[in-house]
Every structure is written in structure tokens, then in C-alpha cells.
Amino acid sequence: MSCKIDYQALPHLLENRVVLVTGAGDGIGRAAALQYAQHGATVILLGRTIEKLERVYDEIEALGGPQPAIFPLNFEGATLSDFDDMAKTLDKEFGRLDGLLHNAGLLGRITPFEQYDAELWEQVMQVNINGPVWMTQALLPLLKQSDDASIIFTSSSVGRKGRAYWGAYSVSKFATEGFVEVLADELEHQTNIRVNTLNPGATRTQMRRSAYPGEDPATLRTPNDIMPTYLWLMGPDSTGVSGQKFDAQPARV
Ligand code: NAP
């Protein structure tokens, strides 16, 4: 597993690229959307809370980035036909997709498995793995239209080593790691699409606060601090790298 925390992106790294970010309204997804736009990408902001997406849209416009697009979608309850409609809309508007950052995520509850609620388990699996998998299937034809497309799935340290009480969240991230191995192997000799997993590591967001309420947020890296690896994996400097596991920051000691 490697980390590119010292990577320095050129200002026009993502110029003329169309990049979709899920969960773009808050936390790490918001930072990635802003950074991608700042480096020249046309960013499609996908998420479930339109006001948050609109704020990010305005921030991108204020930065002078290419005009973004908003795509409201709640992974809970999203169907295959929603993903097909999304692919049709993006095809009509853009004709291709050069990058896809699967970032949206749900923590669920940190609780002993014996007490884990079955409905919540299903929700976490839907948002963290099942929805992103079917969305990827719908978007593959558009990704194939790109000269050099990058798909990034967001993982977690509990998706690489199980930890007590992390339940569906941990299992969904293990499934993410497995799916990326399968997809990368399938795509290896066929296309120009690379697919990798990225573990952000402990980062100062609402999700981290929910998981570790007693922790001092000042001890954590911010979403902006961890963007070098997000930029490296999305841009052409990582062309040819596929099926790998990355960390956005060194592990905490
Ligand atoms: P966050 O601040 O809670 O942001 C999560 C994002 O996902 C929000 O934009 C949220 O939208 C969106 N989202 C949640 N449920 C959704 C749904 N049903 N449909 C569409 N969008 C949905 O969390 P974060 O820390 O930035 O996490 C980003 C990713 O990094 C996640 O995949 C998480 O598992 C992973 N991660 C984070 C850490 C960390 O320390 N922060 C560590 C390891 C992995 P709303 O704002 O509208 O709710």
C-alpha cells in the first residue's frame, strides 16, 4: 500500500476532464470536488442534500473553475433504472466520463454484532457498496469513451483488517476492496480504465466525529491535507496503475 502525500499536482492536471464525485456536498468529497475543479476538471457533484451541493457549486464558481453540474441522488432507494437514467443524462450532456470518485459513505452504528439492526445493515451495504457497484456498471460505457479514465473507490482501514463493533461499515469496505480486485482484473487487457481503492485515513469530518466523539479534531488531518493522493490517482500521472490499494496519509501511530 502506498501513499502520495507529497505529490504536487500541476495546476492544469485535470483540464478537459469530466469527473463525477459522490458525496460531494461535505467532508472529503467536498474537498475533492473543489480540488478537482481547481485543477481544471468539470465536476459533476452528486449527493443527497441539494443545498450542500449548491454551496459547493457556488464555491467552484467563485474559484473560477469550469462550470460544474449537480446530480441529486440518494443511494438509499436508488434503483437500476435511476443509474441508467444517470448514464443517459451524462451521455447527453458530456458524451464521456474521465473520472469517478466513489466517496459517499454511511457509518451506520458502532455496536456489538449481536445488537446490530438488520435494516441499518442493509442501508449501509446499499450506500457503501451495492449502489456504487450498480452505478459503476451503468457508467462503464461512458468511462470507455475516455482516453484515460480513473475510478477510485473509497476504502477504510477497517476494510483491510476487521475491527470489533464496526459491523456493516467494515464489511462494506472489505467488499469494496474485493470488488475493485475483480473489476481491475476484468478491465486489465480490455480498456483504458484503471480502478483502485483509496483509504483516506483518520480525517477531520462529521463521520469521524460520529465514530470517535471523544477525540480532539485538532489532532486530525483535514480533508484538504489528504488531497495529494486524490489528485494523483485522478490525474494522468497514475495512468496504468490499477487494482492497487492506496492510503491518503501515513497510518497514525
Ligand atoms: P462525511 O463527512 O459524513 O461525508 C459523507 C458524504 O456521503 C456526505 O456528502 C453525505 O451526504 C454522503 N452520503 C451519505 N449517505 C448518502 C446517500 N445515501 N446518498 C448519497 N450520498 C450520501 O464523511 P467523510 O469522512 O467525508 O467520508 C467520505 C468517505 O471516506 C466515506 O466513504 C468514508 O467511509 C471514508 N472514510 C472516512 C474516514 C475519515 O476519517 N473521515 C476514514 C476512512 C474512510 P450528506 O452530507 O448529504 O449527508
Side-chain angles (χ1 to χ4, degrees), residues 3-160:
C3 172
K4 298 276 173 192
I5 195 140
D6 295 325
Y7 174 69
Q8 292 192 337
L10 290 172
H12 302 296
L13 182 82
L14 301 176
E15 201 156 62
N16 298 322
R17 287 179 190 241
V18 181
V19 173
L20 191 156
V21 177
T22 74
D26 212 337
I28 295 166
R30 170 181 167 274
L34 290 169
Q35 284 286 329
Y36 290 161
Q38 229 171 340
H39 287 80
T42 297
V43 181
I44 301 156
L45 307 164
L46 184 145
R48 64 177 172 179
T49 310
I50 294 175
E51 305 81 69
K52 288 188 182 182
L53 300 174
E54 285 173 345
R55 277 202 290 275
V56 179
Y57 183 105
D58 290 344
E59 285 180 272
I60 290 174
E61 290 229 304
L63 287 167
Q67 186 180 25
I70 288 181
F71 202 100
L73 184 117
N74 188 336
F75 277 108
E76 272 173 57
T79 63
L80 293 183
S81 91
D82 292 328
F83 297 130
D84 275 347
D85 289 347
M86 172 190 298
K88 284 189 190 116
T89 305
L90 298 187
D91 188 20
K92 198 162 138 239
E93 295 293 321
F94 303 103
R96 67 172 204 287
L97 191 60
D98 305 296
L100 173 53
L101 171 62
H102 283 297
N103 161 83
L106 198 60
L107 181 65
R109 267 188 79 199
I110 298 177
T111 183
F113 173 62
E114 281 185 283
Q115 285 150 33
Y116 211 103
D117 178 71
E119 202 177 315
L120 182 62
W121 186 286
E122 298 288 336
Q123 279 168 10
V124 172
M125 296 303 282
Q126 173 62 22
V127 174
N128 291 5
I129 179 71
N130 296 334
V133 160
W134 299 121
M135 183 174 140
T136 303
Q137 188 189 55
L139 295 180
L140 273 176
L142 274 174
L143 289 154
K144 286 183 179 172
Q145 297 305 313
S146 167
D147 292 336
D148 171 32
S150 176
I151 309 175
I152 304 169
F153 276 85
T154 306
S155 187
S156 164
S157 51
V158 296
R160 292 174 181 166

Side-chain angles (χ1 to χ4, degrees), residues 187-218:
L187 294 174
E188 191 182 2
H189 297 298
Q190 294 177 41
T191 66
N192 49 321
I193 306 174
R194 61 193 184 282
V195 52
N196 295 285
T197 61
L198 178 52
N199 168 23
T203 309
R204 200 186 306 167
T205 66
Q206 185 51 51
M207 183 185 285
R208 179 76 190 185
R209 270 193 294 285
S210 306
Y212 296 90
E215 184 177 61
D216 176 4

